[in-house]
Amino acid sequence: MGEHSEAFVGFDTSKLRNAVAIADVGRDGEVRFFGEIENTAEATAKLVRKLAGKYERLTFCYEAGPTGYGLYRQITGLGHACNVVAPSLVPKKPGDRVKTNRRDAVSLAKLLRAGELTAVWVPDEGHEAMRDLTRARETAVNDLRAKRQQVSALLLRLGRHYPHKRKTWTKAHLNWLASQKFEYPQQRFVFEEMMLAVRQAQERLTRLEDAIRGAVPEWSLAEVATALMRCAASILFRRRHCWPRSATSRAFERRTS
């Protein structure tokens, strides 16, 4: 049995090392900086075992960030409570702009003990994998849009204008692009490279969307995702066929098509 009843442990995480602070239970309990440990599973397990030998109950916390949820899963797997907290909701004193690993770890331990931290929902590994897939699709959408804009910017600079009110990147527009002639071979080469980049970006987006379609049926939130997609399709249909088509609705259609 531990020497003390309970402790609250704050981690300030980073790529290579984690700063650790400990707050003993009670308003007047001691708060101290433990030190820094390597950001490895072995170092974390050693720390948890050491503290578990001293305290009957341990609660850990760290801010959500680029290091992900591995630390949370390891600590909870060892049988201890762990909160991943929202950085934007961590209380801060006015004018307190000095940030160090030590200060941040001590502050997290104090706030955890006081119950003033807001925990975020931690996805399981399956949810996280699905989120990685959807984020990759979002990146691909932005990449495709940027590459299309590069083509449009080149043609605009050269005075090539597609008929104003006709939708771009349709089959007709692609045929128009393919018919473009250039006086200089350098411009032809640049244009062809840009069009190749557009095709590759489109193929990448198609692969990711196919992967999402294949993954959704096996996902635990498949029913929710399907319902949301049906709702979005219904809204899009009504915007196009039932509601007055304002400039805002036309912009919505371009973003969702």
Side-chain angles (χ1 to χ4, degrees):
M1 182 177 291
E3 299 175 8
H4 305 283
S5 60
E6 185 176 7
F8 301 87
V9 185
F11 282 95
D12 184 68
T13 59
S14 63
K15 179 180 178 180
L16 300 177
R17 299 183 66 81
N18 294 334
V20 184
I22 303 170
D24 291 338
V25 71
R27 178 179 298 179
D28 299 324
E30 180 186 6
V31 181
R32 61 195 180 280
F33 180 64
F34 179 86
E36 292 192 352
I37 64 171
E38 297 291 329
N39 188 3
T40 63
E42 294 77 11
T44 301
K46 181 179 179 180
L47 170 69
V48 173
R49 287 195 300 268
K50 181 176 181 178
L51 296 179
K54 185 175 181 181
Y55 296 94
E56 295 179 1
R57 181 180 177 185
L58 294 168
T59 304
F60 297 81
C61 76
Y62 67 98
E63 291 184 349
T67 56
Y69 303 109
L71 181 60
Y72 167 88
R73 295 187 181 117
Q74 182 182 4
I75 291 173
T76 55
L78 294 171
H80 302 282
C82 182
N83 294 329
V84 182
V85 302
S88 61
L89 299 179
V90 174
K92 293 180 174 61
K93 295 179 180 179
D96 187 6
R97 299 179 181 178
V98 178
K99 283 181 61 66
T100 66
N101 296 344
R102 178 180 186 136
R103 286 169 62 96
D104 289 348
V106 169
S107 175
L108 284 173
K110 288 180 179 179
L111 293 170
L112 178 63
R113 183 179 65 183
E116 296 182 6
L117 296 176
T118 302
V120 302
W121 175 71
V122 178
D124 60 30
E125 292 177 326
H127 284 303
E128 194 170 10
M130 193 68 182
R131 186 178 62 181
D132 289 339
L133 187 57
T134 57
R135 284 181 172 176
R137 179 196 174 276
E138 182 180 0
T139 299
V141 168
N142 293 334
D143 183 50
L144 176 59
R145 182 182 298 114
K147 286 178 169 51
R148 285 176 171 179
Q149 288 173 345
Q150 289 174 357
V151 173
S152 299
L154 173 66
L155 295 177
L156 177 63
R157 191 170 66 252
L158 297 177
R160 313 291 178 88
H161 304 288
Y162 191 61
H164 176 60
K165 292 187 178 180
R166 300 182 63 181
K167 191 174 181 180
T168 57
W169 301 104
T170 61
K171 184 176 180 180
H173 182 233
L174 291 174
N175 290 335
W176 179 80
L177 289 172
S179 69
Q180 297 303 302
K181 306 297 182 182
F182 297 89
E183 180 179 359
Y184 298 98
Q186 296 90 339
Q187 292 175 334
R188 163 57 63 179
F189 177 79
V190 170
F191 176 74
E192 290 178 348
E193 285 295 309
M194 287 183 174
M195 290 301 297
L196 175 61
V198 169
R199 289 193 296 272
Q200 291 174 338
Q202 181 64 66
E203 291 168 357
R204 177 191 175 203
L205 176 59
T206 300
R207 290 194 301 270
L208 287 165
E209 290 179 342
D210 289 342
I212 291 173
R213 291 190 189 95
V216 164
E218 304 299 325
W219 189 26
S220 60
L221 294 180
E223 293 184 3
V224 177
T226 302
L228 289 173
M229 286 189 290
R230 288 174 179 169
C231 181
S234 175
I235 292 174
L236 183 60
F237 176 84
R238 292 184 181 186
R239 282 184 177 273
R240 287 181 171 176
H241 301 286
C242 304
W243 297 342
R245 299 181 70 244
S246 63
T248 302
S249 66
R250 289 194 294 271
F252 175 83
E253 291 174 15
R254 287 195 295 271
R255 290 197 301 271
T256 54
S257 60

